[in-house]
Amino acid sequence: MRVVVAEDLFLLRDGLVRLVEAYGHTVVAAVGSGPETLDALLTHRPDVAIVDVRLPPTFSDEGLQAALAARREIPGLPVLILSQHVEQLYARELLADERGGIGYQLKDRVLDADQFTDALDRVAHGGTALDPTVVAKLLGRPARVDPLAALTDRERSVLALMAEGLSNAAIATRLFLSEGAISKYTTSIFAKLGIAAAEDTNRRVRAVLAYLDGSGG
């Protein structure tokens, strides 16, 4: 995969580059500011981008804004946000775009290289990789309309783990169920949420967005 890394701290940026390349991928650009991030994304059009939220010059939300601007120019550009912070407004806007993979991982909760590279791979292939803490933060507002009302408690549990980016096999292991049972639950979830199999968009991503919208307002 061709990867852009956007991180302002040199040691962390260099570490990310070394990690990504150690897993056989190519870092086409490693940058440290918001404007550089947008330029790198538009110039290189990578298979996936790793982007910090708070970048120079103001250290507020330049990374997220650069990712959003790039996805407006390159629909579906896969982006994995890696940050110490959850910026709710722009994070929800990023997730609201149903095209392409999206991930949001917290730096202090990435425990090993395999966990991180697995999340990067899922995002690059159009999936989601949301840290549970990020999901909880995004769900912090009262719901106005709940499209999930028809789901059973078990289906909600399956959907919550789907939001983390887990595969059916991983969800089955977490819930001590068979993979076949999880497949039936996901089929039921898609049906209840009105997500048709014939649609071009990623059904799992659409289900996760419904989960966030229904639980978070």
Side-chain angles (χ1 to χ4, degrees):
M1 294 189 301
R2 300 169 61 258
V3 184
V4 164
V5 175
E7 165 61 53
D8 64 297
L9 296 177
F10 167 75
L11 289 178
L12 182 53
R13 183 170 67 246
D14 187 62
L16 285 169
V17 169
R18 291 173 184 269
L19 173 62
V20 168
E21 292 183 338
Y23 275 74
H25 308 307
T26 300
V27 176
V28 294
V31 297
S33 72
E36 289 177 313
T37 299
L38 179 57
D39 181 66
L41 294 177
L42 295 181
T43 299
H44 295 285
R45 296 176 175 249
D47 297 312
V48 63
I50 304 168
V51 180
D52 189 10
V53 169
R54 299 184 178 182
L55 295 173
T58 67
F59 293 96
S60 56
D61 49 29
E62 283 89 343
L64 269 174
Q65 291 204 51
L68 284 165
R71 282 172 65 93
R72 283 192 286 269
E73 295 293 325
I74 310 171
L77 175 69
V79 176
L80 174 60
I81 299 296
L82 181 64
S83 180
Q84 292 178 313
H85 313 279
V86 181
E87 299 292 343
Q88 295 191 45
L89 176 61
Y90 288 112
R92 292 182 69 86
E93 184 178 345
L94 188 63
L95 289 164
D97 181 354
E98 299 175 1
R99 297 168 295 182
I102 288 295
Y104 202 131
Q105 298 287 303
L106 298 180
K107 291 177 180 177
D108 59 358
R109 287 176 54 86
V110 176
L111 303 179
D112 58 57
D114 288 340
Q115 173 195 352
F116 178 74
T117 54
D118 177 65
L120 187 67
D121 185 67
R122 290 204 306 271
V123 171
H125 289 86
T128 58
L130 305 180
D131 185 280
T133 303
V134 174
V135 173
K137 193 82 171 181
L138 294 177
L139 301 186
R141 295 179 293 170
R144 294 189 299 274
V145 178
D146 184 8
L148 312 181
L151 301 187
T152 65
D153 289 342
R154 177 63 80 185
E155 288 167 345
R156 284 174 178 260
S157 297
V158 170
L159 187 50
L161 293 174
M162 195 186 298
E164 294 179 29
L166 273 63
S167 65
N168 281 3
I171 294 173
T173 299
R174 185 78 65 87
L175 296 180
F176 303 101
L177 296 171
S178 69
E179 189 171 348
I182 299 303
S183 179
K184 290 179 181 179
Y185 280 125
T186 57
T187 298
S188 176
I189 290 168
F190 295 148
K192 290 181 179 180
L193 295 179
I195 301 172
E199 294 180 7
D200 293 331
T201 50
N202 186 311
R203 291 200 296 166
R204 294 176 77 89
V205 173
R206 293 201 64 205
V208 168
L209 291 169
Y211 174 67
L212 294 173
D213 288 340
S215 302

